[in-house]
Amino acid sequence: MLDAPVNAYTWTLGSLTVAVFAYRSWRTYKATKNPLAHIYFWLCTGLSSAFLVFGLPAILTANIGILRYTYVMADTLVQLTLQVETWLLWFIGLRNNIRLKTLIMMTSAYSLILIAIESTTSKVAISQSPHLVVYSDIPTVLIMKSIIYIAIALPLGYFFLRQVPKQTNLQAKVRLLFSALSFITISLAATSNNIFDNGSDTIQSTTILAGFFAVLLIAVLLPSPKQTPGSRPTISR
């Protein structure tokens, strides 16, 4: 178990970090009934589950057949999480232009096709130097993943940025700015990974990601500052 691939520990740490965000979002929703907190709860829950399935199996086993199965399962959870992101995108920027059901039907159909292709073509291996689980997808899958990341996460970042000047409280401005930059950075990083690293982890990306998750976990576990009126972001149409 201690000799597991490095990226297995990174994704498991990421799962724990995002799970804390999910718990905090749930508490916020229970206290305030804020619809954004509700969506964030489901978003973080889905992402935490995906990261856990990416990481934990490789800590427990080196069986390539099992790891290939869990890889497809983890990517399926990522695609489900993208449907929640679609819900969030509709809520903050598109609810006056299109019905949520129509939007979800389009993105779900796309994700189903992507997972169907990936499940029959993906490959998994374990490299020894560096010690990593290596995921391999065909170009069609990598292109399809990049398209959906860009199509959902980048507009999310844009719509969040548009809401920042409308906030009356500095704390709310910072929260929305952090959300905006997170979605933009993640979408660009995932797309770059698909283009330059064939969608698989490298020792450099694994190390950077582990540091990011560790800092984020420490930050989220620190006592929250006292809430003031207007400190929670509000979304206007």
Side-chain angles (χ1 to χ4, degrees), residues 13 16-17 20-21 24 210-224:
L13 174 62
L16 176 61
T17 302
V20 176
F21 274 102
R24 287 204 165 186
F212 172 75
F213 285 144
V215 171
L216 202 57
L217 181 60
I218 293 170
V220 77
L221 289 177
L222 291 174
S224 299

Side-chain angles (χ1 to χ4, degrees), residues 134-191:
V134 180
Y135 309 106
S136 301
D137 286 311
I138 62 173
T140 300
V141 171
L142 295 174
I143 292 170
M144 290 184 71
K145 285 182 178 180
S146 298
I147 289 173
I148 196 168
Y149 295 155
I150 292 292
I152 296 176
L154 268 187
L156 263 176
Y158 166 74
F159 283 121
F160 271 125
L161 282 176
R162 284 183 55 184
Q163 295 292 331
V164 172
K166 301 176 183 178
Q167 307 305 307
T168 58
N169 181 280
L170 179 61
Q171 199 173 337
K173 288 178 182 287
V174 171
R175 287 181 174 184
L176 277 182
L177 183 61
F178 176 78
S179 294
L181 295 179
S182 294
F183 283 114
I184 292 171
T185 302
I186 290 170
S187 66
L188 294 177
T191 302

Side-chain angles (χ1 to χ4, degrees), residues 197-210:
D197 298 315
N198 294 320
S200 192
D201 298 328
T202 65
I203 194 62
Q204 291 84 4
S205 65
T206 298
T207 303
I208 292 172
L209 205 54

